Amino acid sequence: MSPGLERPPTVVVLADDPVTREGVTGYLRSRPQMVEVLGFEDRARADVMVVLATDVTSQTLAGIRKASLETGNPDMRVVLVADSITEAQLTGAISHGLVSFLPRRQTEMQHILSTIVSSRAGHAYLPAELVRKLVEGLRAMQVSESSDFTLSERETDIVRLLSEGWTTEEIAEKLSYSERTIKNAIHGMLARLGLRNRTHAVGYAARIGIL
């Protein structure tokens, strides 16, 4: 066993509902032999971040991205517990450390605890349907023979927001463009790179290191 695995994993809990956060935090703190729960202010040294959400929103994914950039532990794992997640959201979250997704309504406290421990040890858990979608997406991602594989500054901004679950209308408002301009930019990017849809654009951006 490596030295880092001789101690319980450190974990920080984030949630969109304070009651849920306190409930999960309290349960984990009652298992000090399994995990060490950190306060939010100490999140930079967490081995695992547990994110609890009813709906995965742009704010949820932005929080995961922000934490991955702020952490002092480059190997920090993210465990997301939510009702559902889209393929594009999943692809974006994976690029920022997500290793496990637990369907909220089917997940008990013990399952969250065991997933934290296994995630720090290098394991991952995704429902079979999500794995199937990811595999299909990777198979379908065929980059064209064009010599221009890079993304413009505007395309980079757009794909980053797509990875966080923003809608076309929200992206247009955020970047101060018309919705038609954003739609045309996305269409042009997909056509130029030979990508099938927005999810594949997110995956491509993750693959070339933009996300």
Side-chain angles (χ1 to χ4, degrees), residues 23 38 55 59-61 122 125 139 153 184 192 204 207:
L38 304 176
D55 299 313
Q59 288 78 16
T60 306
L61 297 174
Y125 173 79
R139 287 176 176 171
E153 182 177 352
N184 288 341
R192 177 167 56 80
Y204 176 73
R207 190 173 72 178

Side-chain angles (χ1 to χ4, degrees), residues 152-169:
S152 68
E153 182 177 352
R154 182 171 67 182
E155 289 171 341
T156 299
D157 290 338
I158 290 172
V159 80
R160 281 175 175 164
L161 293 174
L162 286 175
S163 76
E164 295 175 4
W166 291 53
T167 66
T168 304
E169 182 179 0

Side-chain angles (χ1 to χ4, degrees), residues 115-209:
T115 303
I116 291 170
V117 175
S118 64
S119 294
R120 200 279 291 265
H123 301 289
Y125 173 79
L126 294 173
E129 180 64 14
L130 288 180
V131 173
R132 182 186 65 79
K133 288 181 179 179
L134 284 176
V135 171
E136 289 179 351
L138 289 172
R139 287 176 176 171
M141 189 184 297
Q142 299 295 327
V143 179
S144 71
E145 294 299 322
S146 167
S147 61
D148 183 8
F149 293 156
T150 61
L151 298 180
S152 68
E153 182 177 352
R154 182 171 67 182
E155 289 171 341
T156 299
D157 290 338
I158 290 172
V159 80
R160 281 175 175 164
L161 293 174
L162 286 175
S163 76
E164 295 175 4
W166 291 53
T167 66
T168 304
E169 182 179 0
E170 290 171 334
I171 293 172
E173 182 176 354
K174 172 73 173 177
L175 300 182
S176 300
Y177 290 109
S178 70
E179 189 172 352
R180 178 179 293 276
T181 296
I182 296 300
K183 287 180 178 179
N184 288 341
I186 293 172
H187 177 76
M189 175 176 59
L190 297 181
R192 177 167 56 80
L193 296 175
L195 302 173
R196 191 176 66 181
N197 53 34
R198 299 179 184 199
T199 298
H200 297 151
V202 172
Y204 176 73
R207 190 173 72 178
I208 65 176

Side-chain angles (χ1 to χ4, degrees), residues 6-61:
E6 292 175 356
R7 59 168 177 78
T10 53
V11 59
V12 64
V13 179
L14 306 181
D16 55 12
D17 172 21
V19 175
T20 300
R21 183 182 64 246
E22 290 304 315
V24 173
T25 298
Y27 175 82
L28 296 177
R29 281 182 173 152
S30 72
R31 305 293 191 278
Q33 72 281 10
M34 299 288 290
V35 294
E36 177 189 353
V37 180
L38 304 176
F40 182 75
E41 66 280 2
D42 293 323
R43 63 192 180 283
R45 66 181 185 90
D47 295 315
V48 180
M49 180 173 69
V50 177
V51 180
L52 306 152
T54 303
D55 299 313
V56 177
T57 65
S58 58
Q59 288 78 16
T60 306
L61 297 174

Side-chain angles (χ1 to χ4, degrees), residues 56-73:
V56 177
T57 65
S58 58
Q59 288 78 16
T60 306
L61 297 174
I64 292 175
R65 181 173 183 270
K66 186 172 186 290
S68 73
L69 295 174
E70 292 177 344
T71 183
N73 178 5

